[in-house]
Amino acid sequence: PTTGLRMVGSRYCIAIGQGYGMCAGDKVDVVLSDGSYIPCILGDMKAVIDTDEFMQYHLSDHDVAEMIVDDTVFYDTSQYLALFRGLPVVKLVKIEED
C-alpha cells in the first residue's frame, strides 16, 4: 500500500500479452537475466490490438510485463528512482507459469 504497487499476498499484480496462453489470476514468475525472479499474479491481460503479432509485447514501447499500480500513490516513476539507483541493469528473459 505504501508503494502503490498492487499485490495479492506476496505476488505483484502484472499485465502481460495474451500470447503467453495464460489468464488473469494465474501465478507467474518473471525471470530476470541475473537469475532472480519476481513472483507475480496476472491481474490483467494486454489488449490484442495493442500487441505484436505474437501478442507478447506492446507495440508502442515493447513492454512485456507491466506492473499494476494504484495511481493515487504511484503517480510518477521518478519517485522510485532512488530505490533502483545502484542496482545492476537486468533484462526480463522469461515468463513462466508458477
Side-chain angles (χ1 to χ4, degrees), residues 13-79:
C13 295
I14 63 169
I16 62 171
Q18 297 178 37
Y20 289 98
M22 298 173 200
C23 301
D26 286 351
K27 294 177 181 176
V28 299
D29 291 332
V30 174
V31 181
L32 304 175
S33 59
D34 67 355
S36 64
Y37 72 95
I38 303 168
C40 298
I41 189 165
L42 300 182
D44 198 5
M45 304 304 291
K46 296 180 186 211
V48 171
I49 195 167
D50 295 332
T51 57
D52 70 308
E53 63 184 297
F54 302 107
M55 299 179 293
Q56 293 182 325
Y57 63 83
H58 259 159
L59 292 172
S60 62
D61 55 18
H62 294 175
D63 282 348
V64 173
E66 299 174 37
M67 303 297 279
I68 299 175
V69 300
D70 176 347
D71 62 7
T72 64
V73 178
F74 189 107
Y75 50 87
D76 181 359
T77 56
S78 66
Q79 74 195 89

